[in-house]
Amino acid sequence: MNIKEFCEKYAINRLGTNCLKWDALDKRYGNKDLIAMWVADMEFKTPEVVIEAMKKRIEHGIFGYSFVPESYYNAFINWEKNEHNYEINKEWIRFTTGVVVALYWFVNAFTKPNDSVIIMTPVYYPFFNAVKDNGRKLVTSGLINTNGIYTIDFENFEKNIIENDVKLYIQCSPHNPAGRVWTEKELDTVLSICKKHNVLVVSDEIHQDIIIGNNKHLPAAIVSGGKYADNLITVTAPSKTFNLAGLLNSHVIISNEEIRAQYDAYAKTVNQTEVNIMGLTATEAAYTHGKEWLESLLDVIRHNYNNVKTRLNEKAPKIVITPLEGTYLAWLDLRAYMDPNDTKVFIQDKCNLAIDFGEWFSEDCKGFVRLNMATDPKYVEQAIDNIIKNINCL
């Protein structure tokens, strides 16, 4: 279906539904009337086939203990193979209530207190928290920003690993908020450095299905014919793809038997819950029948991003807009127009927007903002209007 048809069918007002994104604005930002373009979920209902599958489960009326059926494994395995050329064995798959939860577990399972863990910044802020909250040493390697295009500083990355005796690297692929879909050459170089120095890799690939540009997402486990698969853990979830975050169902994929056994041993100490029956139901339906819905969603995201880029390039050309290759999160550098310390007043008080501020992703990114493009185009229009109107008054 086209963008107009998709929005008419799936766009919805989330106010008054205990929605973190909209109903917690007063608590989070001190103003309940802002336009919510921050946290990474959507104003679109999940695919109709998912809703119908959940209704059928609800009508049965029992929500007791459940196990993962073969049909679920088949749906997920087929999705990864068909969409990403990633062939997974059922035995490799584990479940968690979320990717962030999994990151905390990995830090504890595979490092000791005061061990060093490295991340590439700017990056999704729970990466920082998973390291610091667990008493590990946080090591950062800054991405190179060239007029809004982010690349990896391989020399700095390896230098930091050696000097800090790093044990674990948490990778973001596709990258949030830099919008990069890493090439095979980039991934191969990073993974080879980690293997050379015995650094375990955790690859967060939650945005794997949200590909906006020409680069195709390449799972870390199949880079260069899969030669690094024994040194990594992959985490994925249907939450970003199909707007299912509240159903608490995510995947951990570990092909290395020894690493998997170590993970299982740790997981026993922190996780004695059963699987989420509604999360399983929704995910299986989404991976089985949700492709057409996803394609329409990607059209909306591209439309929104292109609208931001076209209009701001015309009316506020000094804003640096990072090319959006993957994720649905636009990354804007406003520093040519204002002192970075004035960004919050400008965006929140003048433009009436609730967004993610750059310093949440790196202390070097004050003056940047991240805007969610997986939303009704009317909100994007309002956001652009407000930015243009107010930036021309500076």
Side-chain angles (χ1 to χ4, degrees), residues 122 150 177-178 320-322 329-333 358 361 365 368-370:
Y150 286 83
V320 180
I321 305 169
T322 289
L329 306 162
W331 185 242
L332 279 58
D333 180 356
F361 303 87
C365 288
F368 290 73
V369 294
R370 193 193 76 172

Side-chain angles (χ1 to χ4, degrees), residues 221-238:
I222 65 171
V223 168
S224 301
K227 69 179 181 180
Y228 304 109
D230 270 354
N231 189 50
L232 66 85
I233 298 168
T234 301
V235 280
T236 72

Side-chain angles (χ1 to χ4, degrees), residues 162-181:
I162 295 170
E163 291 181 351
N164 295 282
D165 190 23
V166 167
K167 303 299 184 185
L168 181 70
Y169 163 50
I170 306 177
Q171 173 170 271
C172 195
S173 178
H175 194 278
N176 168 19
R180 281 299 316 278
V181 175

Side-chain angles (χ1 to χ4, degrees), residues 11-270:
I12 193 166
N13 185 338
R14 299 182 64 186
L15 282 169
T17 61
N18 297 322
C19 167
L20 177 66
K21 188 175 182 180
W22 289 89
D23 293 327
L25 287 173
D26 191 23
K27 183 177 181 180
R28 179 91 177 187
Y29 292 91
N31 183 349
K32 65 180 179 61
D33 297 318
L34 301 176
I35 301 170
M37 300 188 72
W38 64 293
V39 66
D41 66 2
M42 314 179 199
E43 277 60 64
F44 299 117
K45 291 186 286 186
T46 195
E48 195 170 44
V49 291
V50 173
I51 296 170
E52 291 304 314
M54 294 176 73
K55 283 181 179 177
K56 183 177 179 181
R57 186 79 223 196
I58 289 168
E59 287 169 358
H60 182 247
I62 297 292
F63 309 103
Y65 297 121
S66 300
F67 62 88
V68 183
E70 287 299 315
S71 56
Y72 179 100
Y73 284 110
N74 291 337
F76 175 54
I77 289 169
N78 287 338
W79 181 272
E80 291 297 321
K81 182 177 180 179
N82 294 334
E83 297 300 316
H84 305 294
N85 199 30
Y86 184 14
E87 297 194 22
I88 299 171
N89 291 338
K90 172 185 170 183
E91 292 74 22
W92 302 350
I93 303 170
R94 300 293 184 268
F95 295 86
T96 77
T97 55
V99 167
V100 172
V101 170
L103 297 183
Y104 275 70
W105 288 2
F106 299 145
V107 168
N108 279 292
F110 298 104
T111 68
K112 299 181 177 66
N114 299 315
D115 277 352
S116 295
V117 180
I118 194 167
I119 59 178
M120 291 184 186
T121 58
V123 75
Y124 182 48
Y125 34 92
F127 281 32
F128 294 83
N129 300 338
V131 179
K132 295 190 292 186
D133 289 349
N134 287 300
R136 272 59 173 177
K137 180 182 177 182
L138 177 67
V139 179
T140 61
S141 178
L143 297 171
I144 299 168
N145 178 6
T146 307
N147 298 321
I149 298 172
Y150 286 83
T151 53
I152 298 169
D153 188 337
F154 300 109
E155 183 178 343
N156 178 263
F157 181 69
E158 184 166 21
K159 179 173 177 287
N160 275 316
I161 285 175
I162 295 170
E163 291 181 351
N164 295 282
D165 190 23
V166 167
K167 303 299 184 185
L168 181 70
Y169 163 50
I170 306 177
Q171 173 170 271
C172 195
S173 178
H175 194 278
N176 168 19
R180 281 299 316 278
V181 175
W182 305 116
T183 65
E184 183 159 22
K185 183 177 180 181
E186 288 172 313
L187 289 169
D188 182 85
T189 304
V190 166
L191 296 174
S192 67
I193 290 170
C194 290
K195 188 170 185 177
K196 175 182 176 183
H197 298 289
N198 199 31
V199 176
L200 180 65
V201 178
V202 169
S203 189
D204 173 0
E205 302 183 9
I206 195 170
H207 290 279
Q208 63 177 2
D209 300 311
I210 312 298
I211 305 304
I212 307 303
N214 295 323
N215 283 1
K216 183 175 176 61
H217 169 70
L218 188 67
I222 65 171
V223 168
S224 301
K227 69 179 181 180
Y228 304 109
D230 270 354
N231 189 50
L232 66 85
I233 298 168
T234 301
V235 280
T236 72
S239 51
K240 303 305 178 195
T241 308
F242 297 107
N243 209 22
L244 301 175
L247 295 181
L248 305 180
N249 184 58
S250 299
H251 308 111
V252 173
I253 306 164
I254 312 174
S255 61
N256 181 296
E257 188 174 354
E258 184 178 330
I259 295 174
R260 192 166 65 246
Q262 187 174 345
Y263 171 80
D264 287 343
Y266 174 79
K268 283 181 181 179
T269 69
V270 293

